Amino acid sequence: MKKESKNGMTTSQLLSFIKKSGQFSEVTEVFHDKEETPVFCHFLYKLMEKYNTTPKDVISSSGIERSYFYHILSGQKTPGRNIILRISLCISATLSETNQLLRLANQGPLYAKVRRDAAIIFAIEKKFTMQQTNDFLIKEHELPLYKEERT
């Protein structure tokens, strides 16, 4: 199913339009509203609302430091890949939603041909928790999402 934007064009139609345009000004006319540009923190808020998750829930289940998470939510900080994956797993986001979060943060989406990414995709599809995913990555001799603190 192709996703249709507010301007009525699918992504593939928009790409075709860009390729055929003689001037970039023709392309920019399609973008009537600056709000249309997706922003990481706005998309994260939408997902948290969709999955009925509060910032407190994410902070406690992800182990992300409180002030850092609020900087992410305010748009002051853009998290790295592992933090995004931890957040995504804590809110039970789908693979598509996880990849969108990664893209919005200028991180590469999960790629099935990369063994670690394939393991994370497997975990997302099987609805693993963040802890289960981290344990699974360790068991599979892949870099974990975070290192466990030993006391």
Side-chain angles (χ1 to χ4, degrees):
M1 184 166 136
K2 290 186 180 181
K3 195 170 193 175
E4 196 167 300
S5 66
K6 290 180 185 173
N7 60 25
M9 298 176 94
T10 63
T11 303
S12 58
Q13 289 170 331
L14 183 57
L15 182 58
S16 177
F17 179 72
I18 292 169
K19 288 178 179 179
K20 293 176 184 173
S21 295
Q23 300 276 335
F24 187 65
S25 59
E26 295 171 11
V27 175
T28 58
E29 289 174 13
V30 173
F31 299 96
H32 304 292
D33 188 2
K34 285 191 176 204
E35 295 279 334
E36 208 166 313
T37 303
V39 177
F40 178 86
C41 60
H42 296 157
F43 187 63
L44 177 56
Y45 265 117
K46 284 181 185 174
L47 289 179
M48 288 173 57
E49 187 176 292
K50 176 182 177 181
Y51 292 109
N52 199 26
T53 306
T54 66
K56 185 178 178 182
D57 296 335
V58 176
I59 291 165
S60 66
S61 61
S62 69
I64 297 169
E65 201 265 306
R66 183 183 174 280
S67 63
Y68 181 65
F69 187 71
Y70 279 102
H71 282 125
I72 292 168
L73 283 179
S74 70
Q76 293 176 305
K77 300 270 185 192
T78 302
R81 199 164 201 264
N82 282 342
I83 295 290
I84 294 167
L85 292 169
R86 287 165 61 180
I87 292 168
S88 180
L89 286 159
C90 288
I91 63 175
S92 302
T94 66
L95 178 58
S96 174
E97 293 164 341
T98 300
N99 279 333
Q100 181 67 2
L101 283 170
L102 289 165
R103 279 190 288 276
L104 290 172
N106 295 316
Q107 301 288 329
L110 291 168
Y111 185 55
K113 288 188 175 185
V114 173
R115 190 175 191 278
R116 180 178 188 258
D117 284 4
I120 294 168
I121 291 168
F122 179 84
I124 291 169
E125 291 299 316
K126 300 299 180 189
K127 305 286 186 211
F128 285 9
T129 64
M130 186 192 69
Q131 180 66 51
Q132 289 171 323
T133 302
N134 207 54
D135 292 344
F136 179 66
L137 290 169
I138 292 167
K139 180 179 148 272
E140 292 298 321
H141 306 288
E142 294 295 337
L143 187 65
L145 297 171
Y146 61 93
K147 300 229 190 283
E148 303 239 5
E149 292 182 19
R150 304 281 181 203
T151 55

